């Protein structure tokens, strides 16, 4: 069994086809969890992939490491969309342990593992709509390690012309394959969509006013006990400052803070816990062209995987380009422009089967 843990996910898939005696241990919950932990923590990021979406709605996949090396050719492999209507624009919520959560305006969210080509369509989500109100849905996707469960969160943000504002928080459990409503957070208007998942929690930024994009603080939802907490922004982020972007650096929550609306640089902060306190540390400042400032801020993805080059470079996904930040020169440089392809998400190859997780729960309760 120890030998199998060193085998790549795609090779494991071949072994699963050998016989039932091979299939049973390889597909066991314990082995799958251990295997995904080892591949996710691989310092070389050998099993990390970047997934792109093209103009037709289908996807392309590239290995992550070659993006750091200009001398290596970046290959894109075709991947059919798991959506029933692939021509409709698909929004990716996030990726955890090889599972990718995505949705479109006309379809329910799905949980998809592109490595094993397995997809689980979520049951119909009944939105609580009200007349004469405007609303939008804010998503989040993460993993509840305590209960070994994958959860999708949908926050209904509802407001009317009179200025009243309300939220309804719905959560989906893959283990029970069902939706339910949980307590809502105390605060105002959610800014970033989707929420960022870090260490068992989903994070969103809150606006001070429903009509403004100025931040006041950050809220988190613990997926294990489903409770909300509030976090303050870095002290240097002044009141009424321009919008920030939440992201992930390695395994830490990060903030991308522009120094001003017309500025040509932005600060990157990471959050560290020290006991009960939250500490923000500025790790670097990104110099960028002036016309890239707003583009960075309103990009749906700001992600830096734990993978770094030997030169200490960081990879940033800033659709429609992938960029490298060089810490020694403090410069951003575009890696490549993929024609009609937008970098959508970084995921790690795994054997996590969303259909099997939901099926096992139903079998246990039958």
């Amino acid at each position: 069994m120890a030998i199998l843990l060193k085998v790549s996910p795609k090779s494991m898939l071949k072994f699963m086809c050998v016989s039932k005696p091979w299939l049973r241990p390889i597909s066991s919950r314990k082995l799958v969890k251990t295997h995904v932990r080892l591949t996710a923590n691989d310092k070389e990021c050998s099993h990390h992939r970047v997934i792109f979406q093209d103009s037709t709605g289908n996807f392309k996949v590239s290995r992550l490491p070659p993006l750091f090396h200009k001398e290596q050719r970046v290959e894109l492999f075709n991947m059919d969309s798991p959506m029933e209507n692939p021509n409709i624009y698909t929004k990716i919520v996030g990726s955890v342990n090889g599972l990718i959560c995505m949705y479109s305006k006309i379809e329910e969210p799905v949980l998809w593992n592109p490595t094993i080509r397995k997809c689980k369509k979520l049951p119909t989500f009944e939105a609580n709509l009200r007349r004469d109100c405007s609303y939008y849905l804010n998503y989040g996707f993460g993993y509840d390690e305590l209960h070994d469960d994958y959860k999708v969160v949908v926050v209904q943000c509802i407001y009317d012309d009179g200025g009243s504002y309300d939220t309804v928080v719905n959560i989906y459990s893959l283990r029970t394959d069902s939706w339910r409503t949980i307590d809502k957070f105390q605060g105002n208007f959610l800014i970033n969509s989707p929420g960022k998942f870090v260490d068992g929690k989903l994070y969103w930024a809150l606006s001070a006013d429903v009509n403004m994009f100025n931040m006041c603080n950050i809220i988190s939802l613990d997926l294990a006990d489903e409770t909300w907490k509030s976090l303050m922004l870095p002290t240097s982020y002044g009141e009424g400052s321009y919008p920030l972007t939440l992201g992930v650096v390695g395994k830490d929550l990060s903030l991308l803070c522009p120094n001003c609306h017309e500025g040509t640089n932005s600060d990157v902060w990471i959050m560290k816990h020290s006991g009960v306190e939250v500490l923000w540390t500025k790790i670097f400042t990104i110099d960028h062209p002036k016309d890239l400032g707003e583009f960075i801020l309103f990009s749906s993805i700001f992600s830096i995987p734990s993978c770094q080059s030997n030169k200490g470079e960081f990879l940033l996904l800033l659709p429609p380009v992938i960029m490298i930040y060089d810490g020694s020169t403090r410069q951003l440089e575009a890696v490549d422009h993929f024609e009609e392809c937008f970098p959508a998400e970084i995921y790690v190859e795994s054997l996590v089967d969303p259909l099997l997780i939901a099926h096992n729960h139903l079998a246990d309760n039958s």
Side-chain angles (χ1 to χ4, degrees):
M1 195 63 65
I3 297 177
L4 287 176
L5 293 175
K6 299 180 181 180
V7 176
S8 69
K10 290 191 175 180
S11 296
M12 294 270 273
L13 287 175
K14 297 178 182 179
F15 294 156
M16 293 170 71
C17 299
V18 173
S19 64
K20 286 186 178 180
W22 278 78
L23 173 63
R24 192 173 297 110
I26 294 176
S27 59
S28 68
R29 185 184 306 176
K30 182 178 180 180
L31 186 141
V32 170
K33 288 178 62 177
T34 304
H35 189 266
V36 73
R37 185 176 67 252
L38 293 175
T39 54
N41 293 328
D42 175 20
K43 294 182 179 181
E44 301 298 325
C45 291
S46 304
H47 303 292
H48 285 72
R49 302 289 182 263
V50 181
I51 189 166
F52 303 80
Q53 188 171 22
D54 61 25
S55 59
T56 66
N58 284 316
F59 293 92
K60 298 180 183 295
V61 174
S62 169
R63 294 178 60 243
L64 179 60
L67 297 175
F68 281 105
H69 308 291
K70 297 178 182 178
E71 66 276 7
Q72 291 188 17
R73 180 171 177 267
V74 177
E75 294 184 278
L76 291 177
F77 302 93
N78 294 324
M79 184 81 67
D80 291 336
S81 171
M83 308 301 285
E84 294 179 2
N85 298 276
N87 293 330
I88 304 299
Y89 177 73
T90 302
K91 179 74 172 182
I92 289 185
V93 179
S95 174
V96 183
N97 294 344
L99 288 185
I100 297 175
C101 178
M102 58 179 63
Y103 69 96
S104 73
K105 290 184 177 180
I106 64 172
E107 290 188 50
E108 300 297 330
V110 301
L111 296 181
W112 177 43
N113 186 332
T115 304
I116 61 175
R117 309 292 179 98
K118 294 293 184 67
C119 177
K120 171 74 173 71
K121 183 177 181 179
L122 274 58
T124 301
F125 167 68
E126 298 293 343
N128 298 314
L129 306 182
R130 306 176 187 177
R131 292 183 177 181
D132 304 320
C133 288
S134 299
Y135 74 97
Y136 76 93
L137 303 180
N138 200 304
Y139 288 79
F141 172 56
Y143 175 60
D144 173 4
E145 186 172 8
L146 179 64
H147 302 99
D148 190 19
D149 195 5
Y150 294 87
K151 295 180 177 180
V152 178
V153 176
V154 179
V155 180
Q156 294 172 249
C157 303
I158 310 165
Y159 53 97
D160 59 30
D161 294 337
S164 64
Y165 176 78
D166 194 13
T167 57
V168 178
V169 182
N170 308 272
I171 192 165
Y172 166 82
S173 162
L174 180 58
R175 288 222 163 274
T176 63
D177 193 24
S178 62
W179 290 95
R180 53 192 173 82
T181 301
I182 63 173
D183 293 339
K184 61 183 179 181
F185 54 89
Q186 298 296 318
N188 298 309
F189 196 67
L190 291 182
I191 297 297
N192 63 299
S193 177
K196 297 297 181 181
F197 177 71
V198 178
D199 194 25
K201 298 180 178 64
L202 283 168
Y203 292 87
W204 288 269
L206 279 178
S207 169
D209 187 277
V210 68
N211 296 314
M212 301 293 292
F213 283 100
N214 294 337
M215 309 300 165
C216 61
N217 65 353
I218 297 172
I219 59 168
S220 68
L221 173 64
D222 190 313
L223 292 180
D225 59 19
E226 298 176 357
T227 58
W228 298 91
K229 287 187 179 180
S230 177
L231 293 79
M232 297 306 296
L233 299 173
T235 54
S236 64
Y237 186 76
E239 184 177 354
S241 298
Y242 203 61
L244 54 78
T245 301
L246 292 183
V248 180
V249 174
K251 297 182 179 180
D252 299 311
L253 182 70
S254 67
L255 296 179
L256 183 64
C257 305
N259 290 321
C260 65
H261 180 72
E262 298 296 333
T264 58
N265 60 67
S266 301
D267 296 330
V268 177
W269 298 72
I270 60 172
M271 183 186 73
K272 294 290 187 180
H273 286 276
S274 177
V276 296
E277 295 184 356
V278 172
L279 302 176
W280 290 100
T281 302
K282 185 169 73 172
I283 56 175
F284 55 79
T285 298
I286 297 176
D287 292 332
H288 52 74
K290 182 179 294 186
D291 59 359
L292 189 62
E294 284 193 34
F295 188 66
I296 289 178
L297 294 173
F298 293 101
S299 169
S300 60
I301 297 175
F302 166 61
S303 181
I304 305 177
S306 56
C307 175
Q308 301 179 36
S309 72
N310 295 330
K311 299 179 182 179
E313 298 168 322
F314 290 87
L315 185 76
L316 289 82
L317 297 188
L318 301 171
V321 298
I322 295 179
M323 305 195 83
I324 292 288
Y325 172 77
D326 189 330
S328 60
T329 63
R330 294 179 54 188
Q331 296 295 318
L332 275 179
E333 182 179 355
V335 174
D336 207 343
H337 291 258
F338 297 99
E339 186 177 355
E340 297 185 349
C341 284
F342 291 79
E345 185 63 86
I346 296 173
Y347 71 93
V348 62
E349 291 187 317
S350 81
L351 299 172
V352 177
D353 187 340
L355 293 172
L356 188 61
I357 294 174
H359 174 76
N360 284 344
H361 174 81
L362 294 175
D364 292 341
N365 288 274
S366 61

